[in-house]
Amino acid sequence: MQFTAKQISEFLNGTIVGDEKVLVDRLSKIEDGVPGSLCFLSNPKYENFIYTTGASVIIVAQSFEPTKPVSSTLVKVKDPYSAFSVLLEKYDEVLNSEQHKSGISDLSFVHPSAKIGENVYVGPFCCIEENAVIGNNTKLYAQVFIGAAATLGDNCQINPGVRIYKHSQIGNKVIIHSNTVIGSDGFGFAPQTNGSYSKIAQIGNVIIEDNVEIGANTTIDRATMGSTYVREGVKLDNLIQIAHNVDVGSHTVIAAQTGISGSTKVGSNSVIGGQVGIAGHLNLGKRTQVGAKAGINFNTEENKQWHGSPAQPLKEWMRSTVIFKHLPEVERKLRELEAKVAALNAVIDNIKETE
């Protein structure tokens, strides 16, 4: 499908600089732009490409003023990155015909007591157990498992191989990527006098609120009692572990390979980097920011940045990293000083012996 610069501008509520009739039929990165492609400029580091790209249309900020001639048509918007993400979503809808599928595959199993909404798609080899509820327009792709009495809201996208255990509650407009497991048992074992461990029954569930996206191979454990919560608007990357009774606050984003231990509460609008480890029974304040590979084993206040393991406030961590770089030199100087002190002590000892 082709669109004019004018159509794109109207869709994004932008303004045009250049030929409003120029046509585009694909999206591209600005450095790879060719005639007929649409791209965007958000990061100033890429500004040099706007003068050399072959793209027909470029989305830029309203404040952008070129310092050299630009051959492309510009569409000026408030936030180029957000505007381009909207176009990517629409483009993906056009390309991905599976999003418009409906019906139940003959190769799937749906328990007679399950309630299936309107315009639902259930792909091959799916299993929906007793009393499960699937909301309107929700798509379950191949090999998805929905446990007994689990509920999914409207307009969800559950990708191949996802496992949603019994009694889990999934809100509206939730996207879960392949091989993620929702509602597996929490890691609860009681030590015994003979050195063994006895399993503690995990009788709670997982509640995932609206507009959440969960990456591939992520695991979210059911609560021991009560619920594990992933609040509205949370975005989870791949390969994340959320333990039992954790509460991830609304609109928090967490990068890959992070692990959050049991009963910890993460404040809303927090940003957690990759490979972060967070101990259990903690409270992280709202808008907490944690750098990659950090280790958190204490409560944090609101609006604080933490880096390192064990974690430190950002400014302290930056000073520490400077010192770390100079440790070999510091060690060498310390050894030299020790040798000089030893020599001076030897001289003092000799003087004492001759007195």
Side-chain angles (χ1 to χ4, degrees), residues 218-253:
T218 284
T219 53
I220 303 175
D221 293 345
R222 68 172 51 248
T224 304
M225 293 183 289
S227 300
T228 300
Y229 286 96
V230 178
R231 302 289 184 176
E232 181 178 2
V234 167
K235 311 301 180 188
L236 301 180
D237 200 356
N238 306 326
L239 296 165
I240 289 172
Q241 160 65 14
I242 306 292
H244 56 193
N245 292 96
V246 166
D247 190 330
V248 181
S250 59
H251 306 293
T252 288
V253 293

Side-chain angles (χ1 to χ4, degrees), residues 104-123:
I104 299 175
S105 170
D106 293 337
L107 298 175
S108 64
F109 169 78
V110 179
H111 194 277
S113 65
K115 296 180 180 179
I116 309 298
E118 297 179 357
N119 197 35
V120 167
Y121 173 66
V122 179

